[in-house]
Amino acid sequence: MQAASNAAPLGRFARFIDTLEETVIAVLLGLMTLVTFVNVVLRYGNNTWFINSIEAVLGVDLPPSLLWGLEVTVILFAWLVLFGISYGFKVTAHLGVDAILNIVGGRVRYGLVVISALCCVAYGGLMMKGAWDYWAPFAGYERTEGRWFPTGFDERTRDQAFYETEQVPIPFGKTYLEETFNLGEEYEKLPRFIPYAILPLGVALMLFRILQATIGVIRGRRASLIVSHEAEEAVQEAAATLKAEK
């Protein structure tokens, strides 16, 4: 794979983004594991000596399960996927069809790779507009006007900041969220615009990684945006394993 050579950060800002990205992915994986583990222990350990001992030591009654556990895990998984998309562009881990690229070479191959990279940039720009337009009403902001490209903000956007998650409680900042986003009205659960914020954030990070990869292709620092010959290598590895077993 080409991941090792393409993953090295080039500057201070790139190193900051790299560290942030990898840290967030690690934290999301850890939180998903922790929430799921605790939920399983509470559900299947209810009224057992183990849970009773913990309750006696802590002096509290533990719930039979985390009602919000499944919803939080789903939210964390969605965040992980969208962060993972940008990370895949960084380490050249996305799969692609390179049959035509393997037929041609030289300038033709370079030109096709640049064209495909620019198409990815255009697609990322369209996704950025769509992500903002979907998330903005939930945070009390306005959608953009224009079918393909933002030409302004639509003042007719309906405020949907009162929408809440099903079970997730608000860990902190409840008063601030109510006064800032919900016109002072009370939130009973976590407002949806918080978990949905991964849409514009994740797409923006993905677009940054695509632009970074495109510049790398144009400057000759990387050969493509996709993993080359992964399927072929997998077939060869499987054939070698079968041959060794025989």
Side-chain angles (χ1 to χ4, degrees):
M1 288 189 183
Q2 306 162 355
S5 61
N6 293 333
L10 302 175
R12 181 177 300 177
F13 180 70
R15 287 196 298 271
F16 170 77
I17 295 297
D18 279 7
T19 302
L20 174 65
E21 200 172 40
E22 294 172 359
T23 301
V24 169
I25 290 175
V27 169
L28 291 174
L29 279 171
L31 288 176
M32 286 175 60
T33 304
L34 179 62
V35 171
T36 302
F37 174 76
V38 171
N39 208 13
V40 170
V41 170
L42 291 176
R43 182 172 299 177
Y44 292 98
N46 189 32
N47 292 327
T48 62
W49 67 268
F50 177 70
I51 295 298
N52 292 338
S53 300
I54 294 177
E55 290 177 339
V57 171
L58 298 178
V60 296
D61 292 329
L62 297 176
S65 66
L66 299 178
L67 294 177
W68 44 265
L70 177 60
E71 188 175 8
V72 167
T73 303
V74 171
I75 291 172
L76 293 175
F77 184 72
W79 278 65
L80 181 65
V81 168
L82 289 171
F83 268 106
I85 293 174
S86 65
Y87 187 79
F89 278 106
K90 184 186 81 168
V91 299
T92 319
H94 287 293
L95 301 180
V97 179
D98 58 358
I100 297 178
L101 295 179
N102 294 333
I103 296 174
V104 300
R107 292 185 176 274
V108 176
R109 178 188 176 91
Y110 173 79
L112 291 176
V113 172
V114 171
I115 291 173
S116 66
L118 293 177
C119 288
C120 289
V121 172
Y123 181 71
L126 293 175
M127 285 191 64
M128 187 70 247
K129 173 177 167 51
W132 172 267
D133 288 347
Y134 184 86
W135 172 78
F138 289 102
Y141 299 123
E142 298 173 346
R143 291 189 177 98
T144 60
E145 294 180 331
R147 185 175 182 84
W148 301 100
F149 305 101
T151 58
F153 289 97
D154 188 355
E155 298 180 355
R156 300 168 298 175
T157 303
R158 187 168 70 92
D159 191 328
Q160 297 176 340
F162 59 89
Y163 279 80
E164 303 172 340
T165 55
E166 296 292 333
Q167 299 289 344
V168 183
I170 301 177
F172 54 83
K174 185 173 183 292
T175 302
Y176 170 78
L177 292 175
E178 292 169 347
E179 294 178 352
T180 305
F181 298 97
N182 204 30
L183 302 177
E185 296 292 330
E186 183 180 4
Y187 279 127
E188 295 182 359
K189 301 296 180 182
L190 187 72
R192 289 191 186 183
F193 75 86
I194 294 180
Y196 286 3
I198 188 56
L199 288 171
L201 177 62
V203 173
L205 188 55
M206 181 196 73
L207 185 56
F208 169 76
R209 287 302 184 192
I210 294 175
L211 288 170
Q212 191 179 49
T214 301
I215 294 173
V217 168
I218 293 174
R219 293 182 176 179
R221 291 199 300 263
R222 58 191 296 170
S224 177
L225 272 67
I226 63 174
V227 178
S228 297
H229 307 298
E230 179 162 308
E232 181 180 340
E233 292 173 359
V235 171
Q236 291 176 354
E237 183 178 350
T241 302
L242 290 174
K243 185 177 180 180
E245 291 177 353
K246 291 180 180 180

